[in-house]
C-alpha cells in the first residue's frame, strides 16, 4: 500500500510584529474617562450636594454661604463620619452591625466615668474604654459568625444589652467633671488649626485606611467577594467567617473611638451619645454605595454622603426650619439611597441599562468578581 506524497509545507518569512497602539492615552479615551468619572451616575451625590448648597444659599443668604458654615459642616460631622465609616467594612461583607451606636455611647460614658469617678489618667481611661469596645466586637463576632445568628437581629440584641449596661453605669444621667474639660483629654477633639478641629483629621485618616484596605489589598477583594456571594467565595477558599468576624471587631473599635472623640468634644459622657448617629450612619453608607464604586460600599462615597447630609442638616438649622425637618431629610435620603443601591445590586433590567457583562465579570460591571485563589491567609 502506497501513501500519497504530501506537498512540502511552504514556509513564509514571519511578518514583523507591530506593537499595538494603546488608546488609553489618546484625547478621545481621556475625554471618555473624564465624562464617565464626572457623570451623574458616578458622582450624583456631589451634584445633589451642590444643589442643596445653592438652595440654602438662596434660603438663608446671610448665614449659610460663609466660611463659618463650611467649618461647621466639617467639624460638626466628623464624629458622624467616623460612625458611618465603622459600618462600611461590615456592609462590604454583607454584615449589619446595629450595635455601633450603643458601642459609641458606652465608650463615651466609660471614658467619663474612669476620668471623673475613678480618677484615672486620660490614657488609661481611653485604653479601658477601647478594651470594652473590643470586647463588644468579639461578642458580636461570636454570636454572628460562630453561633450563626442573623447579624441584623444579633447586633440589635447586643445593642440592647449594651444599653442596659449604660443605664446601670450612668442611671441615664450624663457624666461630667473638670477632668474632661482639661487638657490633654479636651485636646483630643477641641484642638484646631485654622478653625478645623482634629476629628476632621481622624475622619480623613480612617477614610484613607478603609479605602486602601478595600481597594488595594487582597483582603479588601475578599471582603467584596464575601458580600457578593459568600458561598461562592468560600468555595474559592476565602475564609469568609474570619473576615466577617474581623469586620465586626473593626466596626466596634471605630465606633468606640468615635465615642471617645464625642466625649472630648462635648466635655461629658452621654448615655445617649450614639443614638442620633445610627440612622445617619446607615444613610451615609448606602448613599455612598451609589457613588464612585457603584453597588459597592466604599469609604470616599460614604464621606461624600456624610457631608451631603451634614450640609442639609446645617442648612435646615440655619434656615430656622421646623424641628422635625432634620429627621424628615435624613429619612428621605435613606429611602432614596436604598432604592438606588437596591436597584444596582439586584440588577433589574430597567434600572441597569447597560451591555451584558462579560463572562467572569461582577454584577456591578466594575471588573472581574474579586474572588481570589485559595491560600492560607484571610
Amino acid at each position: 500500500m502506497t501513501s500519497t506524497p504530501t506537498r512540502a509545507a511552504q514556509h513564509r518569512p514571519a511578518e514583523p510584529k507591530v506593537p499595538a497602539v494603546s488608546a488609553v492615552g489618546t484625547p478621545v479615551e481621556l475625554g471618555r474617562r473624564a465624562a464617565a468619572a464626572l457623570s451623574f451616575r458616578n458622582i450624583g451625590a456631589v451634584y445633589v450636594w451642590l444643589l442643596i448648597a445653592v438652595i440654602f444659599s438662596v434660603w438663608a443668604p446671610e448665614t449659610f454661604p460663609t466660611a463659618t458654615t463650611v467649618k461647621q459642616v466639617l467639624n460638626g460631622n466628623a464624629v458622624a463620619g467616623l460612625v458611618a465609616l465603622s459600618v462600611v467594612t461590615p456592609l462590604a461583607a454583607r454584615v449589619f452591625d446595629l450595635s455601633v451606636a450603643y458601642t459609641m455611647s458606652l465608650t463615651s460614658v466609660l471614658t467619663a466615668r474612669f476620668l471623673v469617678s475613678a480618677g484615672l489618667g486620660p490614657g488609661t481611661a481611653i485604653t479601658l474604654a477601647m478594651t470594652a469596645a473590643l470586647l463588644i466586637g468579639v461578642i458580636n463576632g461570636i454570636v454572628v459568625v460562630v453561633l450563626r445568628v442573623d447579624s441584623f437581629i444579633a447586633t440589635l440584641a447586643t445593642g440592647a444589652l449594651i444599653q442596659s449596661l449604660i443605664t446601670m453605669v450612668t442611671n441615664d444621667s450624663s457624666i461630667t467633671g473638670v477632668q474632661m474639660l482639661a487638657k490633654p483629654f479636651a485636646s483630643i477633639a477641641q484642638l484646631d488649626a485654622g478653625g478645623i478641629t482634629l476629628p476632621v483629621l481622624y475622619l480623613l485618616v480612617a477614610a484613607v485606611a478603609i479605602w486602601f484596605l478595600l481597594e488595594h489589598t487582597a483582603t479588601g477583594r475578599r471582603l467584596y467577594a464575601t458580600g457578593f456571594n459568600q458561598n461562592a467565595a468560600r468555595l474559592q477558599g476565602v475564609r469568609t467567617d474570619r473576615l466577617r468576624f474581623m469586620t465586626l471587631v473593626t466596626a466596634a473599635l471605630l465606633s468606640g473611638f468615635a465615642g471617645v472623640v464625642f466625649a472630648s468634644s462635648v466635655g461629658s459622657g452621654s448615655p445617649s451619645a450614639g443614638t442620633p448617629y445610627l440612622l445617619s450612619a446607615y444613610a451615609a453608607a448606602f448613599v455612598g454605595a451609589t457613588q464612585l464604586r457603584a453597588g459597592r460600599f466604599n469609604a470616599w462615597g460614604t464621606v461624600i454622603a456624610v457631608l451631603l447630609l451634614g450640609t442639609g442638616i446645617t442648612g435646615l438649622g440655619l434656615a430656622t426650619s421646623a424641628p422635625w425637618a432634620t429627621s424628615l431629610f435624613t429619612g428621605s435620603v435613606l429611602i432614596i439611597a436604598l432604592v438606588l443601591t437596591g436597584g444596582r445590586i439586584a440588577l433589574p433590567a430597567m434600572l441597569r441599562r447597560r451591555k451584558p457583562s462579560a463572562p467572569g465579570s461582577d454584577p456591578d460591571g466594575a471588573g472581574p468578581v474579586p474572588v481570589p485563589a485559595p491560600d492560607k491567609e484571610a
Side-chain angles (χ1 to χ4, degrees):
M1 181 175 180
T2 61
S3 59
T4 303
T6 58
R7 182 179 297 179
Q10 296 181 357
H11 297 282
R12 297 181 181 179
E15 297 181 359
K17 295 182 179 181
V18 179
V21 178
S22 175
V24 174
T26 62
V28 175
E29 179 63 22
L30 292 177
R32 186 180 296 111
R33 290 194 172 191
L38 298 175
S39 66
F40 187 87
R41 177 176 188 147
N42 191 49
I43 56 171
V46 174
Y47 297 119
V48 174
W49 182 15
L50 295 176
L51 177 61
I52 290 173
V54 171
I55 291 174
F56 284 113
S57 296
V58 175
W59 190 355
E62 297 181 356
T63 56
F64 185 83
T66 64
T68 303
T69 301
V70 174
K71 296 176 183 178
Q72 182 179 350
V73 170
L74 291 175
N75 296 333
N77 292 279
V79 173
L82 289 173
V83 181
L85 288 175
S86 72
V87 304
V88 169
T89 50
L91 287 174
R94 206 167 288 272
V95 176
F96 281 88
D97 188 353
L98 299 183
S99 67
V100 291
Y102 304 98
T103 304
M104 175 183 169
S105 299
L106 180 64
T107 55
S108 172
V109 298
L110 286 181
T111 303
R113 187 171 183 83
F114 290 141
L115 282 172
V116 177
S117 301
L120 300 178
T124 305
I126 293 172
T127 300
L128 292 175
M130 291 302 297
T131 302
L134 175 62
L135 181 60
I136 291 171
V138 172
I139 292 173
N140 282 337
I142 292 174
V143 174
V144 173
V145 177
V146 179
L147 301 182
R148 302 295 179 183
V149 180
D150 181 80
S151 62
F152 193 96
I153 302 300
T155 56
L156 188 62
T158 55
L161 295 176
I162 296 168
Q163 186 60 52
S164 66
L165 177 61
I166 293 171
T167 303
M168 182 178 65
V169 171
T170 65
N171 198 24
D172 281 336
S173 299
S174 296
I175 302 174
T176 186
V178 67
Q179 296 90 338
M180 303 196 66
L181 302 175
K183 296 180 180 180
F185 182 74
S187 301
I188 293 175
Q190 299 179 21
L191 191 66
D192 70 278
I196 304 299
T197 57
L198 276 181
V200 178
L201 176 61
Y202 305 150
L203 175 63
L204 292 177
V205 171
V208 170
I210 293 175
W211 164 77
F212 184 81
L213 171 70
L214 293 179
E215 302 294 338
H216 296 282
T217 67
T219 300
R221 292 191 292 273
R222 294 182 180 109
L223 280 172
Y224 280 134
T226 301
F228 286 136
N229 192 323
Q230 182 179 344
N231 292 329
R234 186 185 296 110
L235 291 175
Q236 289 293 323
V238 177
R239 296 184 176 180
T240 57
D241 286 346
R242 176 186 292 183
L243 290 175
R244 294 168 71 231
F245 192 103
M246 293 308 300
T247 60
L248 289 167
V249 173
T250 303
L253 288 174
L254 189 51
S255 60
F257 177 69
V260 174
V261 174
F262 179 85
S264 174
S265 176
V266 301
S268 67
S270 172
S272 59
T275 305
Y277 292 100
L278 184 60
L279 178 61
S280 61
Y282 275 92
F286 276 95
V287 172
T290 68
Q291 305 302 300
L292 305 178
R293 302 284 288 166
R296 299 188 182 196
F297 296 98
N298 63 89
W300 293 118
T302 302
V303 172
I304 291 173
V306 167
L307 295 178
L308 184 156
L309 291 169
T311 301
I313 293 172
T314 302
L316 289 171
L318 294 175
T320 62
S321 60
W324 46 262
T326 298
S327 298
L328 177 64
F329 176 77
T330 304
S332 300
V333 170
L334 179 57
I335 291 174
I336 295 172
L338 287 171
V339 171
L340 292 176
T341 54
R344 288 170 185 249
I345 293 173
L347 300 175
M350 297 187 65
L351 292 180
R352 298 297 298 275
R353 296 178 181 176
R354 65 195 324 177
K355 296 180 180 180
S357 300
S361 63
D362 68 11
D364 304 301
V369 176
V371 180
D375 58 14
K376 297 181 179 180
E377 296 292 332

